[in-house]
Amino acid sequence: MVAVSFFLVFLAIAVVGAVLFLGTGMARSSRNAGAGLDEPVPNLPPVLLPAGAKASDVDRVRFALGLRGYRMDQVDEVLDELRDQLTAQETEIERLKRALEAAGNPEDPKA
């Protein structure tokens, strides 16, 4: 009977030791678990707009895919709005240039 209780105590200590050993090993490996979530390598060149961006420049903008990126529908909505605003500004500038020329003042407005 003494041998059976000694065996059960020994077995319990061995199980607890194994659990602790495996637990610390998994804790160490979990520290490196996020290593695979590094920033992805860009698959497109950087997103750049020229200094005097036009509506057609906004149409050519493409964003790289990322693991934790923005919602594409929201980005598309903002880009569409930006393109529309730029188109309206370009139209207004052209209208004002024509009105200036029609008024007989052909001076260059840039000077």
Side-chain angles (χ1 to χ4, degrees):
M1 194 66 140
V2 173
V4 173
S5 63
F6 176 76
F7 176 73
L8 290 177
V9 170
F10 176 76
L11 184 63
I13 291 173
V15 168
V16 169
V19 167
L20 290 175
F21 179 76
L22 292 175
T24 58
M26 288 183 181
R28 286 186 200 148
S29 67
S30 68
R31 290 181 192 148
N32 297 331
L37 299 177
D38 293 338
E39 289 299 317
V41 178
N43 56 0
L44 292 173
V47 178
L48 300 174
L49 285 174
K54 298 188 182 318
S56 59
D57 295 324
V58 176
D59 285 335
R60 287 192 293 272
V61 171
R62 295 292 176 261
F63 294 97
L65 297 176
L67 181 63
R68 298 174 301 253
Y70 297 103
R71 288 188 43 188
M72 289 181 2
D73 59 338
Q74 290 177 339
V75 172
D76 290 341
E77 184 178 332
V78 169
L79 288 176
D80 290 344
E81 178 65 27
L82 177 62
R83 183 198 57 227
D84 294 343
Q85 288 179 14
L86 285 172
T87 301
Q89 287 178 353
E90 290 169 5
T91 303
E92 180 68 12
I93 289 171
E94 288 302 316
R95 186 189 66 77
L96 291 172
K97 283 181 181 178
R98 284 194 303 273
L100 185 63
E101 289 174 1
N105 192 358
E107 291 182 23
D108 186 16
K110 294 180 184 176

